Amino acid sequence: MSVSGIQGHLLEVTVVGCTKLKDTEWISRQDPYVCVEYGSNKFRTRTCTDGGKNPTFQEKFVFTLIEGLREIGVAVWNSNTLTFDDFIGSGKIQMQKVLSQGFDDTTWPLQTKTGR
């Protein structure tokens, strides 16, 4: 796919999993899920119950590309039953490689609220 003229093309994004997540639980294992956002489109993975620091998702989402928008936002949360969900981390995925090579299987870092 050429970098110019991306408007309307489809992009398939697979959320494979996470490694070495910050643990937000004191007693039990955390139950992470991932939110993926591109433009006004938002998707959420299933909750990986007891996924801990290394959850696996293997979930696919399809976005319609928007000219000029070249990054995807991701956020990872811990699902809680009785309280608000805990923020684990977030990041931006740059799309240069996928637009020029047709795929990108890079591991992307997250930042916590404190910037770690």
Side-chain angles (χ1 to χ4, degrees):
M1 176 182 314
S2 91
V3 175
S4 61
I6 66 169
Q7 182 73 33
H9 288 267
L10 298 180
L11 175 67
E12 183 179 271
V13 175
T14 303
V15 178
V16 176
C18 304
T19 57
K20 301 178 186 173
L21 288 176
K22 173 186 167 193
D23 196 345
T24 62
E25 291 291 337
W26 291 93
I27 299 169
S28 62
R29 289 179 57 131
Q30 64 188 1
D31 305 318
Y33 63 90
V34 178
C35 295
V36 183
E37 184 174 349
Y38 179 76
S40 62
N41 296 306
K42 298 177 184 179
F43 293 102
R44 180 193 187 281
T45 66
R46 64 176 169 69
T47 298
C48 185
T49 304
D50 291 332
K53 294 182 179 184
N54 302 296
T56 302
F57 300 101
Q58 293 294 340
E59 291 188 48
K60 294 181 182 186
F61 305 105
V62 177
F63 294 98
T64 301
L65 293 175
I66 302 166
E67 194 64 50
L69 185 55
R70 305 250 162 94
E71 68 181 21
I72 297 170
V74 296
V76 181
W77 295 83
N78 174 42
S79 179
N80 290 316
T81 305
L82 301 175
T83 61
F84 291 109
D85 291 355
D86 300 313
F87 175 77
I88 297 174
S90 65
K92 299 283 185 190
I93 299 172
Q94 302 303 316
M95 296 172 45
Q96 289 90 338
K97 184 176 177 185
V98 73
L99 294 176
S100 63
Q101 298 180 18
F103 74 96
D104 187 349
D105 57 0
T106 306
T107 299
W108 297 91
L110 298 175
Q111 285 194 333
T112 62
K113 284 187 270 191
T114 58
R116 291 184 166 180

